[in-house]
Amino acid sequence: MAAAEIEYVSYGGEHHLPLVMSLVDDELSEPYSIFTYRYFVYLWPHLTFLAFHKGKCVGTVVCKMGDHRGTFRGYIAMLVVIKSYRGRGIATELVTRSIRVMMESGCEEVTLEAEVTNKGALALYGRLGFIRAKRLYRYYLNGVDAFRLKLLFPRPDPALLSANKDGRHKQHAENSAESSPIYI
Amino acid sequence: MATNYEGGGGGGGGGSGGAAPPKSIPSGDDAVWADAAPLIEAACNDLQEGELVHGENFSLFAAMSALEIMDPKMDPGIESSGYCSVDEAIENGIAPVPLSFDRTVDVKHTLDVMDHLLACEATWHNGHSLAQTVFSCIYILRIERTSPHPLLHSYCRVMRATCNAVVSAVSDARTHEEEDLFTMSYGLPLKDGGDDKCLSILNSVEETVSRQLRACKAQPSKKKVLEEFESLQTNPDLEEGYCRAVLCRLRFRKHFYHALTCMRKPQGRGLELARKHIAACLSELDNMFKSLDFLRSHSFYQESAVTSTTASGCRPIGFDVSLNSRLLSPTPPRAVKVLSWIDAVSYFEKLLHYLDTICSFSLDPALESVLHFIVKFQLSQPPLVARAHLQLLLVHDGKLYGRDSFSDVIARSLALPDVTKDKEFQTNEFVLQLGQLLINLIKILCANTAWQRRKLGKILQDWSVISIQLELALKREFGELLNSSVDESVCMKVSKHLLMWAQEQTYWIALRFLTLGFELQLYSPSEYCMVYWYMYVIFMKQVETMQIRIVTGSDSSRRKGKKKRDHHARDSGRDAMASSYCLLLQCYMCLSEGLAMMLAALRNESNAFQMLNIFNSEQERFIQHFELLQKAQVPEHISYHIFKESTAHACISDVVKHNYFREAQRIAASLKGSFSADPERLAELRLIEQVAEHNRIALNVINQVGAGDPTLRVPLEFTHHNHFVVAVVKRS
């Protein structure tokens, strides 16, 4: 099955909602109400993507973005690819599309949480430039720790252009040591 | 428009039939009661499934957050199974007292309750709420009911008193931010004024059963035993076994409670006695474990030994997990999986060993020893209850061990003569502030390492600020008086040393922050280079500062010729220790620099080490990892550009020439004499030597093969040291 056979589509409306929901319900462990899905896809439809193979929805990514303590930040809430389609870069493509929209919309950074045991996710996001900013003790109800992953976009920094001798440049205002609210 | 219903959920007037509002509620001058039921019903009919109300003050986010799935208080869709109240459960015979009218069965059931409670307690300690664990036991929820049953009653009372003591300890320590589920006991009958008496009740029950056991063993005829004494149960052949099973459980409870109480005595006064109780606990846990075969062989067990929450393998009576979910504030919707009894026993064994380690601590007044002890203690990730008790021992009443003021601690750490007794020093505002920072630091170091690292990053700012303030004060007060009289020079010297000491502590914190990143697996291998480089830079500053402080400290003590010989010996002893520690830091510095340069060279020369730059580059990752250090300027004048300059031209042949790893080995070897009395330090030196050796060899192999060789693979492994990686050379 060639990569070209996968069709990537931006969230198009109500008809996509049950596809997203059933994928996430089947594959992820957290129970979400329909209100949670609506919250994301109504407010940020341009950040949700679906992957189709021959008319069947095989993957989806659901995100949001907004101001968080003075930083305009994107957040990846859910990422799912059905088991039989994994390992083909579909998740990477879905995430990449969302992140690109976030970048173009002016986000300064993107964040998400992932279980420390989720090697696949950690490798995927690591390749895209995310770092493990924090470890969250017993974040999940099953007692597993999480990493808060963060991707910082490059900024055109005026201070850099006129750098002083030691190359020090202005630091970003955000205090990344504050913990952000738990979205789900 | 308003409605009001008397009583709890569900009762009261005004149903959907549009009945008149209850007359008992008066209308006021500005308020008129109107029945809103028909309006609400119409609105409900208008909403389809999955649709939301939203308005100006009720956003989609609010709608989503308002709903908590599976919480029966908030999710009307969740099936209400089980009993609506404790009383209803009791009325339905869920928790009978006695547990059975057949005394043998009664003892069996009581043992099962005790065992399941232990499993619940361990489950609670491991991160679940009291409401879903220990207090899922109806006998504990309604302890008064168990009064006619001395065995169960005494066990429950001591159990509850223990939980209360542990909740107090963890609350007092306040290191439980992410673990706050632990102390949540809203609405639970956790406290009871009479719990002090619980031990005497337990003692008398213990005495009774103990007598019965002695009688069992003394009498040739077992039948006679039952006739003469009040037996535990009715089967003479089983009396001894059940007595033993009961006794070890009672004794464990008793000694555990005593151990915790002793440990809370201030200034470590109760530690020796606590150790005795801990030893008794471990012995009783062993007896409990031994009772497993007996109990299983005399029960119709339902579960395997590995999964059962009781030793007998039977499911206990008297527990209902869902009861509390209806009554109390947050119980997470997920069902709690109670630990197996065997795992619970293992957990308590582990906990007791940690508590014993705490009780064995010598209460060394030296700050360095305290910090070293905490760091070592934390290596094996001790449980919350252990960490909380450590913190309470170390910091009590604003003093170290509740005994030494932190001004004294700092004075001792400065290792300057005469400072310890100096009243002015004790009350100096900087010293007092630094004391507060130390208290905060110790508390943070006792927290779980994930939370700890975040806090350490934050406090760098506080330490940095106080150093800046110290420096400014120094310049202000002594700027013009540099070559003045001896007295002022002493004061100036103390201030200078205080500044250097504060800077050294800041570097120590920064290094702990960075090295914890390895333990928490926060770095990917492509980031090791920049981390080791940063560590190298900080080690260098720390060593510099320390060397100046040692040298200027010993200079003046030599100048003061009038001192007694003892002082000289003590000072030179202190100096020697400080010098040794300084050399150890240099060792780490060489290792860090070597690793940074080797990894940089590999990146420059080998394709295998190239990083993709899709959405950002190494610079952004550098900024993120070291943001807090940069913000606090620890150290000053460090930036990504300096890092790049230092590493952009690294090549393997140069790294080989510089011989960083050889240097580390040389220093480590030279330190063996100084640390001969310290087995831990010796072990650390051995690890350093191994890391250095393996890396030196790997480096040589890479140099011979050529870093650009496409068949070269260099995986990095933490096989010897948890902070310093070892390069392994492979050809594919």
Side-chain angles (χ1 to χ4, degrees), chain A residues 35 38 132 135 138 160 174, chain B residues 50 52 126 521 627 641:
Chain A
F35 307 112
R38 288 195 187 283
R132 300 170 201 179
R135 186 160 176 148
R138 301 187 68 93
L160 256 177
E174 181 196 346
Chain B
L52 301 173
N126 278 288
Q521 299 167 313
E627 174 167 356
H641 296 284

Side-chain angles (χ1 to χ4, degrees), chain B residues 662-729:
Chain B
R662 251 288 181 250
E663 182 64 8
Q665 283 174 306
R666 189 191 63 76
I667 303 174
S670 76
L671 276 172
K672 288 205 170 136
S674 324
F675 291 141
S676 56
D678 191 336
E680 264 174 60
R681 287 264 197 242
L682 282 180
E684 177 70 6
L685 288 175
R686 272 194 292 274
L687 290 180
I688 291 172
E689 284 182 317
Q690 284 169 3
V691 169
E693 181 66 6
H694 284 276
N695 281 314
R696 193 184 60 79
I697 292 172
L699 196 54
N700 281 330
V701 172
I702 297 169
N703 195 27
Q704 278 165 29
V705 170
D709 189 315
T711 63
L712 197 69
R713 298 273 168 272
V714 188
L716 306 169
E717 288 161 16
F718 291 96
T719 41
H720 292 89
H721 196 287
N722 55 356
H723 303 153
F724 294 108
V725 87
V726 163
V728 181
V729 184

Side-chain angles (χ1 to χ4, degrees), chain B residues 258-491:
Chain B
H258 277 305
L260 295 174
T261 312
C262 287
M263 283 184 76
R264 288 301 305 266
K265 288 209 175 86
Q267 302 178 16
R269 285 198 287 259
L271 295 183
E272 212 181 301
L273 187 53
R275 289 198 76 189
K276 297 201 173 88
H277 285 296
I278 290 170
C281 278
L282 286 165
S283 164
E284 298 306 341
L285 277 175
D286 199 45
N287 291 332
M288 281 162 67
F289 193 74
K290 288 190 182 118
S291 73
L292 195 143
D293 282 337
F294 170 79
L295 291 172
R296 255 183 101 77
S297 59
H298 296 288
S299 72
F300 297 108
Y301 51 80
Q302 300 147 306
E303 308 262 4
S304 78
V306 170
T307 56
S308 178
T309 59
T310 64
S312 68
C314 297
R315 281 180 217 122
I317 62 170
F319 291 81
D320 186 325
V321 189
S322 63
L323 274 179
N324 289 327
S325 62
R326 231 167 296 273
L327 303 172
L328 301 160
S329 58
T331 48
R334 206 63 59 86
V336 172
K337 189 163 188 303
V338 175
L339 282 178
S340 73
W341 185 77
I342 289 179
D343 286 343
V345 170
S346 298
Y347 165 76
F348 279 103
E349 276 173 356
K350 205 175 71 156
L351 173 64
L352 287 161
H353 281 117
Y354 280 116
L355 294 178
D356 193 56
T357 304
I358 296 169
C359 293
S360 318
F361 184 46
S362 62
L363 306 194
D364 192 326
L367 176 66
E368 293 68 35
S369 307
V370 178
L371 297 182
H372 183 70
F373 179 80
I374 306 174
V375 166
K376 199 179 71 144
F377 186 79
Q378 286 276 35
L379 270 177
S380 43
Q381 293 161 334
L384 170 61
V385 174
R387 286 187 270 109
H389 281 87
L390 173 63
Q391 195 215 287
L392 292 170
L393 171 67
L394 295 177
V395 180
H396 178 75
D397 224 14
K399 300 201 185 101
L400 182 68
Y401 316 126
R403 182 186 77 190
D404 308 335
S405 80
F406 277 91
S407 302
D408 279 343
V409 172
I410 295 172
R412 208 172 291 119
S413 189
L414 280 179
L416 286 174
D418 306 327
V419 163
T420 332
K421 304 289 187 284
D422 187 353
K423 252 275 137 101
E424 260 189 61
F425 182 85
Q426 300 268 341
T427 52
N428 175 277
E429 59 157 315
F430 284 115
V431 173
L432 291 173
Q433 266 192 311
L434 283 166
Q436 286 304 309
L437 288 180
L438 271 184
I439 290 176
N440 200 27
L441 175 63
I442 290 174
K443 289 185 176 179
I444 290 169
L445 290 172
C446 292
N448 75 71
T449 47
W451 187 85
Q452 181 186 140
R453 187 181 189 265
R454 301 204 306 277
K455 284 298 177 196
L456 289 174
K458 274 192 179 175
I459 64 169
L460 278 172
Q461 188 70 11
D462 301 330
W463 282 85
S464 184
V465 162
I466 204 174
S467 296
I468 292 172
Q469 288 173 341
L470 261 169
E471 203 162 1
L472 287 173
L474 203 69
K475 286 200 181 105
R476 251 197 331 263
E477 283 188 49
F478 301 113
E480 314 89 44
L481 301 169
L482 273 164
N483 294 310
S484 206
S485 64
V486 175
D487 280 337
E488 272 147 299
S489 161
V490 165
C491 195

